[in-house]
Amino acid sequence: PPAPIAGVPGVTYVTQDTFAQQNRHQYIDPNDPKSKTVYVGNLTWWTTDQDLIHACASLNVRDVTNIKFYENRTNGQSKGYCAIDVGSLNSAKTLMHELRNVTIHNEHPYVAIASKTPLYYFETSLG
């Protein structure tokens, strides 16, 4: 299990290992439009949409339709995670299983199908 943050009850650090463990049973529902959206975290604040498009293309995913970066309201910098929309379930599956092995600015991203759980982890641990 993830290690608790000292002095903050109920809040934990999320590491690559714990995130992968908690999301290992993510199911891609072909009838859910959100299944074509993946959350990608552990990004540097200077990661651009072109960096992500290049990473996706390296996995032969060429149907990226939208990338939404989550930004800090105070300074406008990226919080280190985004949502990537793709055109097919196969592309979403490829990103889910293979994008975590691609290096982007010397980091390996965390990847999860869009849902409240990974968004909560990104907000509390990375954002």
Side-chain angles (χ1 to χ4, degrees):
I5 298 173
V8 183
V11 179
T12 58
Y13 283 116
V14 175
T15 65
Q16 179 77 23
D17 292 336
T18 58
F19 189 83
Q21 284 296 317
Q22 292 163 349
N23 289 287
R24 69 182 183 276
H25 299 297
Q26 285 278 3
Y27 171 69
I28 298 177
D29 179 359
N31 299 315
D32 184 356
K34 284 186 180 179
S35 289
K36 294 184 197 172
T37 300
V38 295
Y39 287 141
V40 180
N42 198 38
L43 303 172
T44 59
W45 64 264
W46 61 85
T47 300
T48 67
D49 56 343
Q50 289 302 311
D51 295 328
L52 293 170
I53 289 170
H54 183 265
C56 293
S58 75
L59 300 172
N60 209 26
V61 172
R62 302 186 191 286
D63 58 349
V64 174
T65 58
N66 188 46
I67 298 175
K68 177 187 176 189
F69 286 94
Y70 291 83
E71 297 176 345
N72 185 315
R73 290 182 187 170
T74 307
N75 61 18
Q77 288 182 343
S78 170
K79 289 183 172 185
Y81 60 95
C82 68
I84 300 178
D85 299 331
V86 292
S88 71
L89 291 174
N90 284 337
S91 292
K93 288 178 186 179
T94 298
L95 293 180
M96 261 300 290
H97 298 291
E98 297 180 30
L99 188 59
R100 68 186 68 219
N101 299 318
V102 174
T103 303
I104 303 172
H105 296 293
N106 298 317
E107 298 288 343
H108 290 278
Y110 303 163
V111 185
I113 290 297
S115 73
K116 290 180 183 179
T117 302
L119 185 58
Y120 172 79
Y121 283 122
F122 290 149
E123 279 290 328
T124 59
S125 298
L126 305 175

